[in-house]
Amino acid sequence: MRRTATVLTLLVCTLPLLAACGDDNTGSPPASADDSATVEITFSDGSVTPRGERVEVEVGEPIELVVKADEPGELHVHSSPEQELEYDAGTTTLKLTIKQPGVVDVESHDLEVVVVQLEVS
Amino acid sequence: MSGDRFSLAHGIGGAKDLPIPPELAILGAVAALIISFTVLAVAWRTPRYDESKTGHPAPGWLARVVDSTPFRVTLRVLGIVGFGYTATAAVFGQDLLTNPVFGIFYVWWWVGLVVLSVVFGPVWKAISPVRTINLAFARLSGSAPETGVFQYPARLGYWPAALGLFAFVWMELVYPFSTELGPVRLWCAIYVALMLLGGALFGSGFYERCDPFEVYSSLAAKLSVWGRRDGQLIVRSPLANLDTTRAVPGLLAVVSVLFGSTAFDSFKDSNFWVRYTQDSSTSTYLLNNLALLTFCAGVGLIFTIGCVATGVGPGTRRLELPDKFAHSIIPIVVGYIVAHYTTYLVEYGQQTLIQASDPFGDGSNLLGTGDLTVNYWLSFHPTFLAVLKVLAVVVGHVLGVIAAHERAIELLPKRHQLTGQLPLLLAMIAFTVGGLYLLFAA
């Protein structure tokens, strides 16, 4: 009984610490290198850059995907709900806003490659 | 329209959860460490979960309802209706991501079943459509459902179920066409065929050992409060219930597949793996296959080493120990399922409920849920989610440590009871720290 009490006390003391420390970190992402949330994507000869780079953005922040492509195509944005953005050959600026926190993958439909991972917080 | 999905990078569901903050991950790891060693130091030294004595009978009215024929029949009917509805949507519905079959298969069945089992006990055993069909055939042919043509070889144990579970996670995590209707339909058809064949050959006891979903559900149910003694419904503490898990051959394989696959699912979404697989000249498919195998086998191997690296008494064979301790991974698995799949279950689960009203993709609203909207409360509260995840992993770990401790006291000779537990404790701490790291690196 005494031992069970000891263990339970330790548990009870440790767990609120988890909650308390959690609150200190509400949605303040470290300053990303690109404050205006513009991502440059280049498609050429069947490949794309970047390939899976993670970009931190804020909820509701307008994001611009500046796509330079040699062929028209589609970007598939895995937000909730999912979105499809089409672009033409040449330079297209696609505008995007993610309204809820999460990690959203932006994939190239044709190349089956994750271009950018948007960490929205 | 079938170009809608490219599952080399994706399964179903939209945005993924944010990684947990590093401070929370570290705090969780430290808490797990402290509590583990405290348990080791101050916990009981004589076995306390004697199966024949733990728990007390459930309230009379509850036992009468649960054991009544109308209740059992209703559950079986619900299972068959659900199966029929899903099969109809799978055969006659469209091959689009809006077909509810995907949500039913990957979320309601795979994740929902575990949660239901922890709350209500062995749910799949009660609703399994393959059991119901086997029962119906037996009644029609006038034989008993428990007897088959052959006796199921006891040595095989849970190994077929472990293979079945691996087949599911392979389909979900590695197969590039996992969100196309044809493959899902084929998987289910093979599952039903094998289960019915097995039931006919070996009797309904086959399902207890070889139906991957029944094994999964029944193991998760060991964390519920419900048990049976001499046919009577009893209520007992989850830890006492967990201790009643039988050391069937293949138990370690089952929990290794469950834990390894969830860890791999988490790892697969990490930025490191996305970039590595895309930059590598080796095919992503091959890399994912190897990684899934490595995670599942790795969990089994680490656990086995943790179990056998102990002093044993003259009567015990070291290689029997892993299956005897494997039940202690069950709370770790469930904790990690909660950590990894809660948003998936709650949010994609709601989406599936909405989609279920329109199984043929023709705009109908058969169940009346077609106009509901998904409530994304969880996604909008990432701090709450992060704390929930860490708590789930740490609590799962602590329950696992306690379960392993109880088993060590029963099996190991007195002079090895504390030192003998250290390798296994370190293995479990490695699992928990690894799990927390994966949540942080998501």
Side-chain angles (χ1 to χ4, degrees):
Chain A
M1 194 56 217
R2 183 176 55 84
R3 284 170 179 171
T4 320
T6 317
V7 175
L8 282 173
T9 316
L10 271 165
L11 251 171
V12 166
C13 291
T14 322
L15 296 182
L17 283 175
L18 294 174
C21 276
D23 278 337
D24 290 346
N25 210 38
T26 27
S28 48
S32 51
D34 198 2
D35 278 331
S36 60
T38 306
V39 182
E40 296 196 0
I41 302 173
T42 312
F43 288 90
S44 67
D45 296 328
S47 73
V48 60
T49 46
R51 290 172 73 91
E53 182 187 316
R54 193 168 273 216
V55 174
E56 289 176 23
V57 296
E58 287 177 35
V59 176
E61 182 185 355
I63 306 163
E64 284 186 357
L65 304 173
V66 180
V67 180
K68 296 191 181 64
D70 50 1
E71 283 171 356
E74 258 176 47
L75 281 176
H76 197 117
V77 178
H78 285 264
S79 49
S80 309
E82 309 192 352
Q83 315 173 39
E84 279 175 22
L85 302 171
E86 292 176 7
Y87 56 87
D88 295 316
T91 307
T92 326
T93 305
L94 301 169
K95 294 204 196 326
L96 185 61
T97 325
I98 311 288
K99 298 194 187 64
Q100 79 187 43
V103 173
V104 173
D105 284 0
V106 177
E107 282 179 293
S108 158
H109 178 109
D110 314 289
L111 300 180
E112 296 191 354
V113 160
V114 172
V115 178
V116 141
Q117 283 191 321
L118 300 170
E119 197 174 302
V120 186
S121 55
Chain B
M1 271 318 252
S2 72
D4 249 12
R5 84 278 343 262
F6 2 92
S7 312
L8 273 173
H10 270 290
I12 52 173
K16 307 211 180 353
D17 291 339
L18 287 168
I20 61 175
E23 304 84 28
L24 209 51
I26 293 171
L27 206 58
V30 168
L33 261 172
I34 294 177
I35 299 176
S36 303
F37 284 103
T38 308
V39 165
L40 192 60
V42 306
W44 55 95
R45 300 292 160 84
T46 51
R48 62 185 284 187
Y49 295 129
D50 182 354
E51 190 176 338
S52 57
K53 300 200 185 80
T54 51
H56 53 84
W61 62 268
L62 186 64
R64 274 193 298 276
V65 167
V66 169
D67 292 335
S68 68
T69 315
F71 183 76
R72 290 177 185 215
V73 168
T74 310
L75 288 180
R76 294 243 153 257
V77 167
L78 280 174
I80 285 285
V81 165
F83 172 61
Y85 196 87
T86 311
T88 315
V91 171
F92 298 108
Q94 297 182 42
D95 187 9
L96 295 174
L97 282 175
T98 50
N99 192 322
V101 167
F102 299 110
I104 294 173
F105 187 67
Y106 290 116
V107 181
W108 284 9
W109 203 15
W110 184 243
V111 186
L113 187 62
V114 179
V115 175
L116 284 178
S117 302
V118 171
V119 176
F120 295 114
V123 170
W124 190 245
K125 197 166 174 168
I127 67 175
S128 162
V130 290
R131 257 193 193 262
T132 310
I133 296 174
N134 182 56
L135 192 65
F137 279 158
R139 293 257 188 275
L140 281 174
S141 63
S143 61
E146 298 85 24
T147 49
V149 179
F150 304 108
Q151 176 86 322
Y152 181 73
R155 269 180 317 121
L156 272 184
Y158 287 140
W159 283 100
L163 280 173
L165 288 168
F166 190 81
F168 185 93
V169 298
W170 178 87
M171 169 89 169
E172 180 193 13
L173 300 173
V174 174
Y175 187 58
F177 306 106
S178 60
T179 53
E180 288 186 19
L181 197 54
V184 173
R185 226 171 17 211
L186 184 62
W187 198 101
C188 292
I190 296 177
Y191 163 75
V192 170
L194 285 176
M195 290 298 113
L196 290 179
L197 186 65
L201 287 179
F202 298 105
S204 58
F206 173 80
Y207 300 115
E208 273 178 25
R209 293 282 181 266
C210 300
D211 181 348
F213 294 93
E214 185 162 325
V215 170
Y216 195 5
S217 163
S218 300
L219 288 178
K222 289 295 180 187
L223 287 175
S224 73
V225 299
W226 310 105
R228 279 206 185 268
R229 188 182 301 133
D230 304 322
Q232 198 193 25
L233 185 69
I234 58 172
V235 176
R236 64 180 152 208
S237 99
L239 278 170
N241 217 355
L242 189 59
D243 199 61
T244 67
T245 313
R246 300 253 175 283
V248 173
L251 179 60
L252 179 61
V254 167
V255 293
S256 298
V257 169
L258 293 173
F259 186 52
S261 63
T262 314
F264 172 64
D265 196 350
S266 195
F267 177 67
K268 192 174 142 227
D269 292 335
S270 69
N271 192 245
F272 163 75
W273 190 246
V274 167
R275 282 184 297 127
Y276 176 74
T277 50
Q278 292 186 161
D279 288 340
S280 162
S281 51
T282 327
S283 95
T284 307
Y285 180 56
L286 178 63
L287 287 173
N288 278 335
N289 266 303
L290 290 175
L292 177 62
L293 275 167
T294 308
F295 270 81
C296 293
V299 166
L301 192 63
I302 294 173
F303 191 78
T304 303
I305 296 174
C307 286
V308 304
T310 175
V312 290
T316 327
R317 281 174 51 222
R318 277 210 169 83
L319 284 178
E320 287 174 352
L321 290 178
D323 276 331
K324 293 194 168 152
F325 278 93
H327 68 299
S328 53
I329 301 189
I330 296 173
I332 300 181
V333 167
V334 173
Y336 210 45
I337 298 275
V338 168
H340 193 66
Y341 292 122
T342 296
T343 355
Y344 206 41
L345 179 66
V346 171
E347 294 177 355
Y348 202 78
Q350 290 176 65
Q351 178 79 348
T352 309
L353 185 62
I354 299 171
Q355 289 171 347
S357 272
D358 188 14
F360 309 117
D362 56 8
S364 44
N365 191 352
L366 300 175
L367 302 174
T369 59
D371 296 322
L372 298 175
T373 49
V374 180
N375 182 331
Y376 286 107
W377 188 90
L378 272 181
S379 278
F380 280 104
H381 293 82
T383 311
F384 173 83
L385 256 185
V387 172
L388 177 71
K389 288 171 188 237
V390 173
L391 270 179
V393 170
V394 172
V395 170
H397 170 89
V398 170
L399 291 178
V401 165
I402 296 178
H405 175 81
E406 169 77 11
R407 197 48 56 91
I409 301 238
E410 281 169 37
L411 293 181
L412 301 181
K414 267 245 171 326
R415 69 179 184 283
H416 291 300
Q417 268 176 15
L418 287 190
T419 53
Q421 282 189 63
L422 280 174
L424 186 55
L425 190 62
L426 289 176
M428 289 174 137
I429 289 174
F431 289 155
T432 298
V433 168
L436 288 170
Y437 179 73
L438 285 174
L439 287 172
F440 155 71

